Amino acid sequence: MNAVMRLLVRHRGFLVFMLGMLAFRSAVADWNVVPSGSMQPTIQIGDRILVNRAAYDIRLPWSDISLVHLADPQRGDIVIVDSAAAHERLVKRVMGLPGDEIALRSDVLYVNGRAARYTATAVSGIRDDEQMPARYAIESYGGMRHAVRLVRYLPAAAGNYGPVRVPPGHYLLLGDDRDNSADSRYFGFFPRREILGRAHHVLVSLDPGHYYLPRGARTGQALDACCAR
């Protein structure tokens, strides 16, 4: 026991630093690896995204207990969700706020009866397009503006959904790769308490199709940068 105590005392500075780093990642800022394509083209497979865990709440480290409520998610935010329904963490976009009526009709988004606007755009470098060609569009509604991926030849049943009313204290989340995303259409509405933070930049991007070499152009890129005004 004395040997253990001496070891702890000798390395106490390093241990305090590591505990501080873990607490910082848990409560303030974190990064997440994105293994799937459900948010393409905004987030690509292999991206490491930077997450502001203090965007909405100051939480007790290593818990989901909110100590200070700072803000609520807004439409268009990309959020990290610790989903009980999905049994994993998800990265999705907020599309429906509490009280909203949301519907999809042939991949067209309707919010409270009003359709979003779509402008065709070009996106390159998405490997899934080789097996399943897609078209891309900028989806706009109010102040929200971002790219979506829509499969050309295999329209999914998920392209038609609702209308549904988002209950109080919950949010409706969708993936930008609309025909390839397990989101609120599958898991239902997500409780506010499960939303851990907001993703806003690509920290680094490693291409799994090219020996995990860095994608230099994506490093440090703001999410939705292609749609910046």
Side-chain angles (χ1 to χ4, degrees), residues 6-213:
R6 285 197 299 272
L7 184 64
L8 291 176
V9 170
R10 184 181 306 167
H11 298 287
R12 63 184 180 276
F14 176 74
L15 293 174
V16 169
F17 171 78
M18 289 302 298
L19 285 173
M21 281 293 296
L22 291 172
F24 181 84
R25 287 192 62 181
S26 174
V28 181
D30 197 3
W31 55 90
N32 285 67
V33 178
V34 180
S36 73
S38 69
M39 282 296 292
Q40 294 181 130
T42 308
I43 302 175
Q44 296 188 19
I45 298 171
D47 283 354
R48 275 65 174 164
I49 56 174
L50 191 60
V51 179
N52 181 1
R53 293 184 64 114
Y56 308 121
D57 299 275
I58 301 297
R59 296 178 184 265
L60 186 68
W62 305 297
S63 80
D64 61 357
I65 299 173
S66 175
L67 299 176
V68 181
H69 174 79
L70 299 176
D72 286 315
Q74 299 300 304
R75 196 183 333 277
D77 287 0
I78 299 173
V79 296
I80 307 300
V81 185
D82 190 8
S83 171
H87 306 292
E88 62 178 333
R89 286 192 179 180
L90 304 174
V91 183
K92 304 294 176 186
R93 190 182 296 276
V94 176
M95 304 303 291
L97 307 178
D100 281 345
E101 182 185 84
I102 304 294
L104 286 169
R105 293 288 177 263
S106 299
D107 279 320
V108 174
L109 173 72
Y110 288 82
V111 179
N112 299 320
R114 185 160 67 93
R117 293 182 293 107
Y118 294 83
T119 305
T121 190
V123 174
S124 61
I126 305 298
R127 295 180 62 85
D128 286 352
D129 289 347
E130 297 174 8
Q131 301 296 325
M132 194 173 293
R135 61 186 177 90
Y136 293 87
I138 303 300
E139 181 177 72
S140 303
Y141 182 93
M144 178 183 71
R145 194 167 182 264
H146 58 267
V148 292
R149 180 177 185 267
L150 305 168
V151 176
R152 285 184 181 275
Y153 304 119
L154 294 174
N160 293 287
Y161 169 76
V164 295
R165 180 76 63 180
V166 184
H170 291 72
Y171 292 81
L172 186 142
L173 310 181
L174 298 178
D176 289 351
D177 194 345
R178 287 290 162 78
D179 299 321
N180 183 33
S181 175
D183 44 41
S184 283
R185 293 168 290 182
Y186 298 89
F187 299 121
F189 306 110
F190 293 92
R192 169 68 176 81
R193 67 178 180 276
E194 292 185 348
I195 298 177
L196 300 181
R198 181 180 181 183
H200 52 87
H201 278 79
V202 177
L203 185 64
V204 67
S205 183
L206 305 178
D207 188 351
H210 290 88
Y211 309 103
Y212 290 92
L213 293 174

